[in-house]
Amino acid sequence: MGFEAIVEKILSHRKDLTREDVLKMIEEKEKSAKGYFTRESAARMIASELGVQSSKGIRRPKVLIRDLVSGLSDVTVTGRVLRVSSIQSFTRSNGKIGTVRRLHIADQSGRLRVVLWDEEGKLKDGEEPVPGQIVRFSHGYVREGLDGKPELHIGSRGLVEVSPPDVLEDEYPPLRCIMKTI
């Protein structure tokens, strides 16, 4: 949903506001962010603050793997599972035992290693991703891996959804298009 559509949605839900009021609020939000928000982002925030945003209405743009860079936080990425490693245990510097699991996923723009720490590696509800499934990783952070490529890390704040219901399988290339036969 674009800028104008967001403004119209706000106006249709909030009859007490004029277009000028809404535009002024958006402009103030942009200024307070000192150039870090686009006009559309500021409009989305105002819509949310006014209680207009709904689950159906304003959608977040999809984040592609090629757009990830080290240092990003609160990232949500969806992709097709290529490979799943087993859970590995290790001892932390404080003596506690931790676990880690790595997955490799792909979308139409590239491939990505996903690192699941501790409880997230075990996955909730006993769901185990298998190659070919679509998985959404939410609230992760991006770091540079040992190979110099971005990796998505999912820790205690993270969420892993196997086969999310609102994602279409057709949006992701099938395994035969991603994997190479030897």
Side-chain angles (χ1 to χ4, degrees):
M1 183 176 274
F3 175 78
E4 284 300 322
I6 296 168
V7 171
E8 291 304 317
K9 187 166 182 82
I10 293 170
L11 292 172
S12 70
H13 283 74
R14 293 292 304 263
K15 303 289 185 193
D16 58 320
L17 297 173
T18 66
R19 181 174 179 79
E20 290 75 30
D21 293 337
V22 173
L23 293 175
K24 187 175 181 179
M25 293 168 77
I26 292 168
E27 187 177 314
E28 287 173 10
K29 183 62 80 175
E30 281 181 288
K31 284 181 184 175
S32 71
K34 299 179 182 167
Y36 285 105
F37 292 154
T38 63
R39 201 165 176 214
E40 185 177 327
S41 297
R44 288 177 193 274
M45 292 181 82
I46 294 298
S48 180
E49 289 171 7
L50 293 172
V52 174
Q53 188 171 4
S54 70
S55 59
K56 296 178 196 169
I58 301 171
R59 254 181 84 177
R60 283 182 145 180
K62 188 165 93 173
V63 176
L64 297 175
I65 289 172
R66 73 169 170 241
D67 298 331
L68 298 178
V69 293
S70 183
L72 293 175
S73 61
D74 199 18
V75 175
T76 298
V77 174
T78 305
R80 189 173 298 278
V81 176
L82 303 176
R83 185 172 43 171
V84 181
S85 73
S86 59
I87 297 174
Q88 298 173 331
S89 297
F90 62 93
T91 305
R92 297 184 190 279
S93 59
N94 63 5
K96 292 185 179 179
I97 301 294
T99 59
V100 65
R101 171 183 253 180
R102 291 172 181 82
L103 287 90
H104 292 259
I105 64 168
D107 66 10
Q108 61 273 29
S109 70
R111 297 173 183 220
L112 178 70
R113 179 182 300 132
V114 180
V115 182
L116 304 173
W117 294 99
D118 298 322
E119 292 304 312
E120 295 310 314
K122 295 174 186 160
L123 300 181
K124 294 169 181 64
D125 303 325
E127 291 181 292
E128 287 295 315
V130 294
Q133 279 185 315
I134 304 295
V135 179
R136 178 185 298 140
F137 302 94
S138 302
H139 307 296
Y141 56 96
V142 181
R143 295 176 62 181
E144 186 176 311
L146 295 175
D147 59 0
K149 296 178 183 173
E151 292 179 335
L152 181 67
H153 290 251
I154 305 293
S156 58
R157 279 189 56 224
L159 177 66
V160 181
E161 295 174 83
V162 178
S163 301
D166 60 333
V167 174
L168 299 173
E169 287 249 352
D170 298 345
E171 293 179 1
Y172 298 89
L175 274 180
R176 68 184 182 324
C177 294
I178 303 168
M179 305 293 279
K180 295 178 184 174
T181 18
I182 300 176

